[in-house]
Amino acid sequence: MADGTKAVVDTSAADAAANEAALAAAIDELGSGKAAPADAADAPSADAPSADAPEADDETDDEAAAEAAAEAEESPAADDADTPAEPRPEASVSEETSEITAPLSVQEIAAELAAGSAPKKPAPAPEPAAAKRRPTDPQPTVDPRDTATLPRTLPAPMRHSGDMIGHRYRLEECISQTETFSSWRAVDEKLRRAVGVHLMASGHQRARKVLAAAKSAALLGDPRFVQVLDAVQEGELVYVVREWLPRASDLAKLLVNGPMEPHEAYQMVRQVADAVAAAHRRGQAHLRLTPRCVLRTDSGQYRINGIAVDAALRGLPAEDSDEDAQRTDTRAIGALLFTALTHRWPYPEDRYDLQGLPKGLQNAAPDQVRAGVHKGLSELAARALFDHPPHHAEPITTPEELVRAIARLPKIRQPEPELPAFQAPPRHNTHALPTAPNPTRVADTTVSPLPPSSRPTASRRTKRRLRRVVKATAWTIALGAIGVASWQFVGSLRNTPGQTVATPQPSVSTTAPSAQPTAHTPVPIQPKAALSYHPKGDPESAWALPKAIDGDPNTAWPTFGYNDQFAPGGYKDGTGLLIDLGSSQSVSSVTVQFVATTTADIRIPNSPTTDANVQKAPLGDFTVVAQKQSGTTVTYTLDKPADTRFLMIWLTALPKDADGQYRSGIAEVKVSG
């Protein structure tokens, strides 16, 4: 029994050693079997999108990861001896380490070996990675020049209606929301006006570029662009404040019902090209000019929103050279004109509620896409949009070239408004009345109808009114003729003292023309130039000065927008537009057409001067020759004809526009001598 006991002890020691070795091998094998599928499930394939991929690809990856996690949760437990372990996500491996590293019994090892599971290659050590994928940016940041210390994407700060920003701006309505930034309609509590606000996290990689773009746009000072009012970094928040145009409509909304008329499309592209060319001359580029950025106000003026800021918010890289930036903006203007003429987006995808073009029309001019398109505008859009325009035309690569090309176009007239069709008043056809009594009607004996002669009809009332008007007109003409004849007769008597009253009538008629002074016939004087009067500052809207004398009432020289009305001792007493007649002329009247009801007077220099001196001369060096008048079209008659080369229209009161600013403009000036 002692030998047997010893034999048993020796066998147990050997078995224990063997079991420990088998246990270690089984643990390694089982660990390899669990880790390898998990790595395979989490590791991205060669075709998997990166963090900068579009949002649709990210959603697909997220769905695949969710499905893998669901399969891992439904798989049997690790201690099931009859079923091999299912792959699990790497997060599950890290959270449930105790189940993997727990020692197995000899029976479990034997069951694993009896199951006949093929040995698996040990999986490589898992790379340290986050358990969850970071949210990706729907507008990828592709500029590698940003510092790597800032996060490449960061969610937009969560704000709600009624929140205050900077202790001044109260959020009213969220207009748009992306993963990176949000745009709001807000109220400036200090100035009591509506504003637009963009919000972004200050720790975002784009925050610095957004602030720099907003500050440079604020310095532009061109009223054709929506003004940037504020750009601030405050704690974890970056916000950009801009003008809000409540009654303006963007180009995409204007095209909902169809393409534009040629004259309207011409006005749009001309104003937009002028504004963008002026911005490039000052070193600014838009880089994201879309139909949502072009706004038309109630007065018909086009204004451009988001210069430089929109591109920075969406992470679009700045162009490496000025030539590339100019080509980008020129191509965008060409796309706007193409869209306005054809009601189609000139690229394959559908954008801005517009249908894209099929592949066969990718390089076609607008008149090949839609019938009846204006030939000159179609060629202009193709040259600005395409690098290789149809018919071997020369491409337009800069906004300045586009402005010159628009100026060479024949003038496109505004279509005449259609008059409503004349509708004659209804006539009572007595001949169509039945001559025999209607047997189905019961006669009402209580009320007897009036005789036809006593019933007033519309035609009789009209005839009576017409007779009264004719009589009044005849009496007025007769009285006027009598008055004129009496005035001529009295004048002839004063000029011929020796003549008696009994002078024959023919002598009165022959002497009357010689006694009556010759009536003055106004002679139009064509202005040579329009100048900005700016004794204390920069020229006001110098880019639009020729529009005040170009003969087109649809174009205008606009003033700046002011927060306060002109007043003596205020921010400004007024603003002026100088008209240069080229040489000294005898002026008797000036007719001014304003864009809105405006108050102004007419002044001339006290002494002859040059155009350079007159623009900087103090207001006291001018004399008022026509007093203040208000209206939209005002004719100023000088107290007496004046010989002068320069006329100044001095604006002293401006109307308030939809934005809450005091702003006006001069559409046309006509001078008579």
Side-chain angles (χ1 to χ4, degrees):
M1 182 173 181
D3 295 339
T5 303
K6 183 177 181 181
V8 171
V9 172
D10 293 340
T11 302
S12 300
D15 290 342
N19 288 342
E20 289 178 1
L23 175 62
I27 291 174
D28 293 339
E29 183 179 359
L30 292 175
S32 300
K34 294 178 181 292
D39 293 340
D42 283 348
S45 64
D47 298 330
S50 64
D52 291 338
E55 185 176 2
D57 297 340
D58 296 334
E59 292 176 357
T60 305
D61 293 344
D62 293 339
E63 293 174 1
E67 292 176 0
E71 293 176 359
E73 291 176 0
E74 294 174 359
S75 63
D79 57 357
D80 191 349
D82 296 330
T83 305
E86 291 291 332
R88 295 193 177 196
E90 186 175 347
S92 300
V93 173
S94 61
E95 292 172 2
E96 301 178 2
T97 310
S98 59
E99 295 184 4
I100 299 174
T101 59
L104 300 179
S105 65
V106 177
Q107 290 80 7
E108 290 174 338
I109 296 173
E112 290 287 345
L113 296 176
S117 57
K120 301 176 182 178
K121 296 181 180 180
E127 296 180 0
K132 297 182 180 179
R133 299 181 53 178
R134 293 181 300 174
T136 55
D137 191 347
Q139 299 287 344
T141 304
V142 295
D143 190 355
R145 292 173 288 182
D146 286 320
T147 174
T149 59
L150 295 177
R152 196 170 181 83
T153 180
L154 200 63
M158 292 299 298
R159 291 296 184 271
H160 305 281
S161 297
D163 290 354
M164 295 295 294
I165 303 297
H167 306 288
R168 176 172 178 177
Y169 305 105
R170 177 168 48 83
L171 301 181
E172 291 284 336
E173 179 186 2
C174 184
I175 305 302
S176 64
Q177 174 86 34
T178 70
E179 291 188 8
T180 304
F181 68 94
S182 59
S183 299
W184 292 76
R185 176 177 60 83
V187 174
D188 185 346
E189 295 287 353
K190 183 177 181 180
L191 299 179
R192 305 301 304 169
R193 63 179 179 181
V195 294
V197 178
H198 299 301
L199 301 179
M200 173 180 278
S202 59
H204 196 282
Q205 197 177 46
R206 303 178 193 167
R208 296 181 183 178
K209 286 189 176 182
V210 170
L211 284 174
K215 291 177 181 179
S216 63
L219 297 176
L220 190 58
D222 192 330
R224 292 170 294 185
F225 292 90
V226 176
Q227 302 296 305
V228 174
L229 306 175
D230 208 352
V232 178
Q233 177 176 349
E234 186 178 78
E236 63 176 8
L237 191 66
V238 166
Y239 60 90
V240 177
V241 184
R242 64 171 180 86
E243 280 185 284
W244 183 263
L245 307 179
R247 295 180 180 87
S249 301
D250 60 53
L251 185 59
K253 188 179 296 182
L254 296 175
L255 295 175
V256 168
N257 297 324
M260 286 183 168
E261 293 291 336
H263 178 267
E264 186 64 29
Y266 167 77
Q267 291 293 332
M268 182 274 296
V269 71
R270 183 180 60 82
Q271 295 184 35
V272 172
D274 283 346
V276 174
H280 275 275
R281 286 194 293 269
R282 299 189 60 175
Q284 286 281 8
H286 195 290
L287 301 179
R288 195 180 180 274
L289 193 58
T290 68
R292 300 289 187 197
C293 298
V294 178
L295 310 175
R296 187 178 69 180
T297 62
D298 291 344
S299 62
Q301 301 294 321
Y302 285 88
R303 302 185 67 185
I304 300 173
N305 184 26
I307 181 168
V309 177
D310 272 14
L313 283 171
R314 288 162 176 83
L316 300 181
E319 299 295 344
D320 294 332
S321 65
D322 182 61
E323 290 78 8
D324 294 337
Q326 294 197 51
R327 184 67 187 110
T328 298
D329 283 349
T330 305
R331 185 181 293 110
I333 299 174
L336 295 178
L337 180 57
F338 189 105
T339 302
L341 295 174
T342 64
H343 196 237
R344 299 287 292 270
W345 184 240
Y347 298 102
E349 66 276 5
D350 297 344
R351 296 289 299 276
Y352 311 108
D353 299 328
L354 297 167
Q355 186 178 359
L357 289 180
K359 293 183 178 180
L361 295 176
Q362 287 303 302
N363 204 32
D367 57 356
Q368 296 174 334
V369 176
R370 187 182 184 91
V373 174
H374 188 277
K375 187 70 176 178
L377 293 176
S378 174
E379 180 183 354
L380 188 73
R383 293 178 59 198
L385 178 59
F386 303 127
D387 293 332
H388 302 286
H391 310 300
H392 305 286
E394 186 71 21
I396 299 174
T397 58
T398 67
E400 200 67 44
E401 292 179 12
L402 184 58
V403 169
R404 291 194 293 266
I406 294 172
R408 289 193 295 267
L409 282 177
K411 194 168 186 179
I412 301 175
R413 299 288 182 180
Q414 187 174 6
E416 295 292 335
E418 296 182 1
L419 297 177
F422 175 75
Q423 297 181 355
R427 300 180 61 183
H428 297 278
N429 189 0
T430 58
H431 299 286
L433 296 176
T435 56
N438 191 347
T440 61
R441 298 179 59 186
V442 178
D444 188 359
T445 58
T446 58
V447 180
S448 59
L450 294 174
S453 58
S454 63
R455 298 180 198 169
T457 62
S459 59
R460 292 178 183 175
R461 288 194 295 268
T462 303
K463 290 180 180 179
R464 285 199 296 267
R465 292 173 184 171
L466 183 60
R467 283 196 295 269
R468 293 172 184 171
V469 171
V470 170
K471 289 180 181 179
T473 304
W475 276 108
T476 303
I477 294 174
L479 292 175
I482 293 173
V484 171
S486 302
W487 176 74
Q488 291 179 349
F489 181 71
V490 172
S492 63
L493 291 180
R494 290 178 179 176
N495 294 331
T496 55
Q499 192 175 10
T500 62
V501 179
T503 304
Q505 192 70 17
S507 63
V508 175
S509 61
T510 55
T511 57
S514 61
Q516 183 180 1
T518 304
H520 175 71
T521 302
V523 178
I525 300 175
Q526 179 61 37
K528 300 299 180 182
L531 308 173
S532 174
Y533 177 67
H534 52 282
K536 298 180 180 179
D538 296 331
E540 190 159 348
S541 300
W543 53 271
L545 289 170
K547 297 179 181 180
I549 57 173
D550 61 355
D552 185 1
N554 295 317
T555 62
W557 167 79
T559 67
F560 286 162
Y562 297 93
N563 294 328
D564 300 315
Q565 184 64 274
F566 295 145
Y571 176 71
K572 287 185 72 173
D573 297 346
T575 186
L577 178 68
L578 289 164
I579 303 299
D580 184 4
L581 304 178
S583 61
S584 180
Q585 304 279 350
S586 178
V587 180
S588 60
S589 65
V590 180
T591 301
V592 183
Q593 181 178 347
F594 300 100
V595 298
T597 302
T598 307
T599 302
D601 58 38
I602 305 297
R603 308 186 180 203
I604 62 174
N606 295 335
S607 59
T609 181
T610 62
D611 54 355
N613 295 333
V614 73
Q615 290 179 272
K616 295 291 186 179
L619 192 61
D621 291 353
F622 291 83
T623 301
V624 179
V625 294
Q627 300 301 320
K628 292 182 181 179
Q629 296 188 51
S630 298
T632 54
T633 302
V634 182
T635 299
Y636 298 89
T637 302
L638 275 63
D639 300 335
K640 60 180 180 179
D643 293 332
T644 182
R645 174 184 171 183
F646 296 99
L647 293 167
M648 184 171 72
I649 306 169
W650 182 245
L651 285 67
T652 57
L654 306 180
K656 182 179 288 189
D657 62 7
D659 304 333
Q661 292 189 322
Y662 294 92
R663 191 195 310 269
S664 184
I666 296 177
E668 202 60 39
V669 178
K670 296 181 180 179
V671 182
S672 300

